[in-house]
Amino acid sequence: MSEPQIIKLTERRPEVAPEDLIDGFVPPPHFSDVSFDSYRPDPQQPSQSEARDKLRDFTQQRRETGFLSKLFGSKPKAGKGIYLDGGYGVGKTHLLAAAWHAHEKPATFGTFVEYTNLIGALGFQRARDELSKMKLVCIDEFELDDPGDTVMMSRLMRELTDAGVKIVATSNTLPGALGQGRFAAQDFLREIQALSAQFAVLTIDGEDYRHRGSPTPPEPVDSAGLDDYAAGTSATTVARDDFDEVLDHLSSVHPSRYSRMLEGIDMALWDDVHTIDSESVALRFVALVDRMYDRGISIHNSGQRLDAVFTDDMVSGGYRKKYLRCLSRLTALASGTEK
């Protein structure tokens, strides 16, 4: 067994040209070959198979662009979106990626944050024009963190559906409840209601499959234990970093580049993991873990156990669902149950 290449994540500073961003809006490697047939619904949760079947039907619909629809000026019915609502680990992202694979192209796939980053890089008009060319837009982890996002995404979804673009989104929050606990949602109720009107909701019940038999991350090891992981792995490339240095590095790399920063890495080893006490730092860390989960990068660490990285106030606060999803994914990556 050849020794892996040991690199430092903190030495990577990827550059991505704005015009290349949209080319990267495809399912990540973790979901590169999923399908509706490979989705395994829990027989005890009929909503899972129902959501799969309805979403499969949705992807098979075609826009009405024939002579009669043009003559009578009717808008395409396919513009109505599907919103997959459910808890963590019930297979929403699997189904979203399956929809992307099954649907006619062009189509895009990305997280909510990646779409807002795209708008920031290209400007609203250009981003809207590029996305309006799509037959399907898939948005994972749909959540609104501030009033500006509420207005911007409401407008974008409205203009895309008016253009006949089909939209599928996933979230842990019903459309009408987006933003609750985060900001004065009542002040933006009209925008939130307009956003909610773009979707038909499919609720998926069930438990987090990532935690079946593995409710907590493994216990941390010492520095020598991390050396053993690096020496004994079959991984090609291992990133080993001090945890504090990783957190500092994230502040100097735009989140839209985190995925590119992780390219080729199979395993991450973190020295001296500890509780993060700054919410802005914690949210950047959440974005990193999301991209690590996309790529199935295994994690081993010294210091504190990974489920102690966020404070109790964070986990019970306005970003609670982000942190709980992150903890779920950290457990999966550290336990080898992310598949």
Side-chain angles (χ1 to χ4, degrees), residues 26-134:
V26 297
H30 188 65
F31 297 101
S32 62
D33 58 357
V34 300
S35 67
F36 289 119
D37 289 337
S38 66
Y39 180 69
R40 296 290 178 261
D42 185 343
Q44 302 300 316
Q45 302 290 346
S47 62
Q48 294 186 8
S49 57
E50 290 171 5
R52 177 201 58 194
D53 294 343
K54 289 180 179 178
L55 186 58
R56 193 203 303 262
D57 291 342
F58 180 75
T59 62
Q60 293 173 348
Q61 296 173 5
R62 294 293 183 266
R63 292 170 60 177
E64 299 295 336
T65 57
F67 173 76
L68 290 178
S69 63
K70 293 180 179 179
L71 178 64
F72 292 103
S74 59
K75 291 185 178 180
K77 296 180 180 179
K80 186 72 174 180
I82 293 289
Y83 189 101
L84 301 177
D85 172 67
Y88 314 102
V90 295
K92 300 187 302 296
T93 302
H94 182 127
L95 289 175
L96 185 69
W100 186 93
H101 286 296
H103 202 276
E104 60 180 330
K105 304 299 184 291
T108 59
F109 182 106
T111 65
F112 175 84
V113 171
E114 288 174 319
Y115 281 103
T116 56
N117 288 337
L118 178 71
I119 293 172
L122 301 182
F124 182 89
Q125 182 172 339
R126 183 177 174 190
R128 180 206 59 202
D129 291 346
E130 291 297 324
L131 293 174
S132 294
K133 300 174 184 177
M134 301 298 133

Side-chain angles (χ1 to χ4, degrees), residues 241-247 270-274 276 285 309:
D241 297 270
D242 178 82
F243 189 64
D244 265 333
E245 292 179 359
V246 170
L247 298 180
W270 291 332
D271 286 281
D272 300 322
V273 167
H274 61 81
I276 302 170
F285 178 69
V309 294

Side-chain angles (χ1 to χ4, degrees), residues 25 83 93 96 108-120 131 137-157 167-173 175 178-179 182-183 195 199 254-256 287 290-291 294 319 322 325 329:
F25 275 68
Y83 189 101
T93 302
L96 185 69
T108 59
F109 182 106
T111 65
F112 175 84
V113 171
E114 288 174 319
Y115 281 103
T116 56
N117 288 337
L118 178 71
I119 293 172
L131 293 174
V137 168
C138 296
I139 307 173
D140 201 17
E141 302 160 14
F142 202 107
E143 185 57 88
L144 301 181
D145 296 336
D146 59 56
D149 283 347
T150 305
V151 175
M152 179 176 66
M153 292 305 294
S154 174
R155 177 186 172 192
L156 179 65
M157 298 299 99
I167 300 173
V168 181
T170 75
S171 182
N172 305 306
T173 306
L178 289 167
R182 224 65 63 76
F183 53 86
L195 185 61
F199 298 102
H254 194 276
S256 65
D290 285 341
R291 302 292 76 76
D294 288 343
Y319 295 101
K322 281 182 179 289
R325 184 188 70 236
R329 291 181 168 183

Side-chain angles (χ1 to χ4, degrees), residues 264-326:
I265 296 175
D266 307 297
M267 176 185 290
L269 305 177
W270 291 332
D271 286 281
D272 300 322
V273 167
H274 61 81
T275 302
I276 302 170
D277 56 12
S278 165
E279 187 132 81
S280 61
V281 174
L283 290 173
R284 285 194 292 267
F285 178 69
V286 168
L288 176 71
V289 173
D290 285 341
R291 302 292 76 76
M292 293 178 72
Y293 184 78
D294 288 343
R295 294 180 173 276
I297 299 173
S298 61
I299 299 173
H300 303 284
N301 69 285
S302 66
Q304 291 184 287
R305 204 167 66 184
L306 289 172
D307 57 359
V309 294
F310 304 125
T311 67
D312 291 341
D313 287 344
M314 290 177 185
V315 177
S316 61
Y319 295 101
R320 176 176 180 271
K321 292 187 176 183
K322 281 182 179 289
Y323 294 130
L324 290 177
R325 184 188 70 236
C326 183

